Amino acid sequence: MSASRIDVAGVSVSPDHYIDGRRVASDDTFACVSPIDQRHLGDISSGAQAHVDAAVTSASLAFPAWAALGAEGRLPFLRRFAEAIGRRADAFATLESHDAGVLRSRMAHGVVPSAMQNIAWFAEHALSLQDRTIDTPQARHWVRHDPAGVVAVITPWNSPLLLATWKSGPALAAGNTVVLKAPEWAPLTSSLLADCAQEAGLPPGVFNLLQGAGALTGAALVSDARLARISFTGSVATAKWIAKTAAENLVPCSLELGGKSAFIVLADADLDAAAATAALMYRNAGQVCLAGTRLLVHADIASAFTEKLRQIVERLVVGDPRDATTEIAPIIHMRQLERVQGFVERAVAGGARVLWGGARHRYGEQYFAPTLLTDLHQQDEIVQQEVFGPVLTLQTFASDDEVVDMPSGTDYGLGGVCYGEEAHAMAIAQRVRTGFIWINSFGIRDLAAPFGGIKRSGIGREGGDWSFEFFCDVKDVVVPRQPFKASFSHR
Ligand code: NAD
């Protein structure tokens, strides 16, 4: 391991790539800056073509032996991998709060346990993949899920540890080897993940990490013809580029992209519960792909609902993500803050009314106040485009027929929330076009369930068997029931 580890609030982390079971430094570096106070946390290695080549070569060489282990053989490695993550729970929380502004409390109670599960659950689940059979009068079809090869995993900055494990877990469990490209605005927890892979004894090349900018390191990785799969989470613009590039080599891609999901509040909803859940859309400073950022509220209860939401929002604690009481943390990067601010300013210039927020928050330079905008038209930019900040919009509707079409009124189709009397909400949910929708709840995820969006929110599903369908090559081994008689004639 490189001697050049950096120290972030007492946690030692490598700034380098992890290739072929060891740390590799680059001459070129990029700065890792904390969103909390713009403090320089360290210089991170920036991957060039040679690093990408080395990582993919190592992963290719490691693949046959890792695949040959079978799901049972891989299980102890992956259990140790998950345990190594758990042992570093505190360190992960420190790093992700410093480099991504994620709440420490969320790391401890949500992200780190989920990251462990992402590795351990898929490793267990892979055991049930083998030996599916289809029996017909003619033959037994022995359907195998074979490992596909080298998988490129590319993750965004808003939840780097969770997403790295969400993709690497099933990819590794299925017998593939992985090259992870970490997000350049939040590179640190991916580096600690590589320490965990090493401590767990994953053979060199099974799990590799590249640091660097998307346009450089990421672009070189997805252009590599040796890849078997690309699993990407990020923006629509990057996904289009990746899909085009992967098409050159016919490499299958799974694309989990942005959202502009609806949060429907029907007239028969429990307004206290709906308002409490709506306030959660400000979590992670609104930098959550699946947040229901478009509030669609029945006109009859709109003012009562808005007043309840206002009372909750007024009490939200904006502050330092390291403090246990903080609920609203900073925006990841000054560029992202300016992007959020630009959306709000253009909306207001176009006639939108600010019900609360609407500007930077006084707590710190990189903070934006929880915001609600109304008096909007469906074609307004703020209604159509993903802001990825603590900005919600509110539109009203008068009937079920009107509201079922509103969620599909953008190019996105990731998630959704519907509050109302359960049967009523279920009836609406069935008519709404989206990847998933929560009834009287939000954010319930189960590793066995499919996750993904429609339209510009993505292509493909991950989670449970859907992850394995993507990360495996399905092979049908056909065994005839009667001795096979070869004949040119079909008589
Ligand atoms: P982004 O597309 O800018 O970057 C995502 C990753 O892609 C980063 O690691 C980046 O370095 C890399 N990248 C950029 N250009 C690349 C290229 N040409 N080739 C290969 N890799 C490249 O997205 P972001 O700003 O980091 O993340 C925010 C976006 O992610 C939002 O749109 C959000 O909705 C989306 N997101 C979606 C989900 C989901 O599950 N659907 C989850 C989280 C975030």
Side-chain angles (χ1 to χ4, degrees), residues 155-157 181 184 214 218 232-235 238 257-258 289 386 388 451:
T155 50
W157 44 260
K181 210 297 278 169
E184 59 269 46
F232 170 77
T233 297
S235 64
T238 305
L257 312 178
C289 60
E386 181 185 50
F388 226 51
F451 180 83

Side-chain angles (χ1 to χ4, degrees), residues 1-2 14-27 45-62 150 177-182 190-191 193-195 197-198 202-212 217 221 226:
M1 209 171 280
S2 159
S14 169
D16 298 330
H17 316 292
Y18 180 72
I19 300 172
D20 204 32
R22 62 195 180 84
R23 291 290 174 176
V24 176
S26 294
D27 293 336
S45 281
S46 174
Q49 182 69 50
H51 303 105
V52 173
D53 285 345
V56 178
T57 299
S58 172
S60 304
L61 293 174
V150 178
T177 52
V178 164
V179 179
L180 167 66
K181 210 297 278 169
S190 300
S191 184
L193 194 61
D195 284 357
Q198 189 176 46
L202 263 64
V206 167
F207 179 86
N208 304 273
L209 167 70
L210 292 169
Q211 299 284 9
T217 319
L221 178 60
R226 293 170 294 174

Side-chain angles (χ1 to χ4, degrees), residues 46-84:
S46 174
Q49 182 69 50
H51 303 105
V52 173
D53 285 345
V56 178
T57 299
S58 172
S60 304
L61 293 174
F63 171 66
W66 182 247
L69 277 178
E72 264 181 44
R74 291 186 289 269
L75 185 60
F77 287 94
L78 296 174
R79 277 194 182 138
R80 288 199 300 271
F81 194 7
E83 287 159 9

Side-chain angles (χ1 to χ4, degrees), residues 87-159:
R87 275 193 294 281
R88 289 172 176 75
D90 208 50
F92 275 115
T94 299
L95 293 183
E96 206 150 291
S97 62
H98 276 83
D99 78 344
V102 175
L103 298 183
R104 263 199 85 97
S105 53
R106 193 171 106 81
M107 288 300 291
H109 301 296
V111 174
V112 173
S114 297
M116 294 174 68
Q117 276 289 93
N118 285 342
I119 303 291
W121 188 90
F122 283 105
E124 297 274 352
H125 197 63
L127 298 174
S128 63
L129 274 182
Q130 313 299 332
D131 294 345
R132 289 187 197 174
T133 51
I134 300 168
D135 286 317
T136 70
Q138 289 196 99
R140 164 162 282 198
H141 294 256
W142 190 40
V143 181
R144 306 272 310 161
H145 281 72
D146 289 345
V150 178
V151 172
V153 170
I154 303 178
T155 50
W157 44 260
N158 66 320
S159 197

